[in-house]
């Protein structure tokens, strides 16, 4: 190799490195926007009070608890939430694989059979566990027909 070829190889390496960094940055940005966008709020043990308990004083909360094996249910839950776009219902999801469920839901953590677990939560009331089929249409009907869940789409 001559000395004239070396700078072009160095330039190609820099260009590739820059492209890789840019690709990683775009992937990170897409992941952040996916986590924050949409009708369902992703809740953690650190954000549970702010995103579930406080809103539950004024709004109804439907919360999905899931684990790694049942994470495939999360998009179905998001589809349910999209049916209530101007609703007073807060839709939240909580990854129990990463975080232990907080009170008043701590008891479901030890019974993995119940994942995905869906609850209706109103502050001051005992959480109500949804027992119906894990199908979008069934969950939408349950929310529409529930006597204590207030929403605009009827």
């Amino acid at each position: 190799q001559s000395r004239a070829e070396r700078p072009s190889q160095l330039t190609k390496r820099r260009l590739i490195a820059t492209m890789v960094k840019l690709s990683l940055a775009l992937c990170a940005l897409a992941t952040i926007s996916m986590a924050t966008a949409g009708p369902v709020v992703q809740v953690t043990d650190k954000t549970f009070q702010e995103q579930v308990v406080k809103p539950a004083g004024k709004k109804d909360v439907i919360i999905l608890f899931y684990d790694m094996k049942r994470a495939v249910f999360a998009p179905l839950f998001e589809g349910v939430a999209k049916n209530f776009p101007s609703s007073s219902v807060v839709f939240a999801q909580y990854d129990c694989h990463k975080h232990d469920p907080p009170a008043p839901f701590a008891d479901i953590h030890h019974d993995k059979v119940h994942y995905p677990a869906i609850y209706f939560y109103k502050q001051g009331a005992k959480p109500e566990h949804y027992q119906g089929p894990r199908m979008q249409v069934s969950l939408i009907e349950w929310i529409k027909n529930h006597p204590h869940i207030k929403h605009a789409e009827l």
Side-chain angles (χ1 to χ4, degrees):
Q1 291 182 349
S2 70
R3 288 185 176 203
E5 290 178 27
R6 286 187 189 148
S8 69
Q9 287 178 339
L10 185 59
T11 303
K12 286 180 185 177
R13 284 189 197 149
R14 285 183 182 155
L15 180 60
I16 291 171
T18 302
M19 290 172 63
V20 168
K21 288 177 185 176
L22 182 60
S23 295
L24 290 173
L26 288 173
C27 287
L29 184 61
T31 302
I32 290 168
S33 67
M34 282 176 25
T36 58
V40 179
V41 179
Q42 183 67 44
V43 180
T44 67
D45 52 348
K46 293 181 181 12
T47 62
F48 186 81
Q49 278 293 123
E50 189 67 33
Q51 293 179 319
V52 174
V53 175
K54 283 185 181 178
K58 297 177 185 144
K59 296 183 173 187
D60 296 324
V61 177
I62 307 291
I63 185 164
L64 164 69
F65 292 94
Y66 65 95
D67 62 2
M68 192 168 60
K69 292 178 185 171
R70 286 146 189 105
V72 295
F73 189 76
L76 186 139
F77 187 68
E78 185 147 335
V80 170
K82 286 179 181 177
N83 279 273
F84 301 92
S86 61
S87 180
S88 65
V89 178
V90 174
F91 288 87
Q93 60 187 13
Y94 192 98
D95 186 347
C96 295
H97 178 73
K98 294 179 182 175
H99 312 279
D100 289 339
F105 303 98
D107 60 330
I108 68 166
H109 184 64
H110 301 291
D111 191 0
K112 303 272 186 199
V113 175
H114 289 292
Y115 291 141
I118 301 166
Y119 284 85
F120 163 60
Y121 179 62
K122 187 74 171 170
Q123 193 173 14
K126 183 179 178 195
E128 181 183 333
H129 187 197
Y130 169 71
Q131 299 288 335
R134 303 299 191 262
M135 297 185 318
Q136 200 171 41
V137 68
S138 301
L139 192 50
I140 290 168
E141 285 303 309
W142 178 70
I143 293 168
K144 283 183 176 179
N145 297 322
H146 195 286
H148 299 108
I149 299 175
K150 297 178 217 106
H151 52 81
E153 293 76 17
L154 271 178

